[in-house]
Amino acid sequence: MPRDLGPNTGTARLTAVGKSGKPMKDKFTVLRKKGTWQVVVFAGQPDPSEKTSSSTGMPNS
């Protein structure tokens, strides 16, 4: 269950153990839309390569 940050926004923690036995953890922002909690992935992350964003348009011939 998400930690409450507001009526439709929260945080959720993920914990796991890798194949090597090393524990891993991360924290995600979650949003509630129409009663269902959804995970927000890569929100607001800067592009470290400073490359231009890819396009979803048709390629030029």
Side-chain angles (χ1 to χ4, degrees):
M1 183 66 159
R3 181 174 158 216
D4 190 27
L5 296 176
N8 295 307
T9 307
T11 58
R13 291 186 181 177
L14 173 66
T15 58
V17 177
K19 288 182 180 180
S20 67
K22 181 178 177 181
M24 300 176 287
K25 61 182 177 178
D26 207 341
K27 185 169 52 170
F28 299 92
T29 300
V30 291
L31 299 174
R32 183 170 41 197
K33 291 187 178 183
K34 298 182 181 180
T36 302
W37 288 100
Q38 300 176 5
V39 176
V40 178
V41 180
F42 304 121
Q45 298 294 319
D47 181 10
S49 66
E50 297 183 14
K51 294 181 180 178
T52 58
S53 297
S54 61
S55 173
T56 59
M58 296 296 292
N60 295 333
S61 311

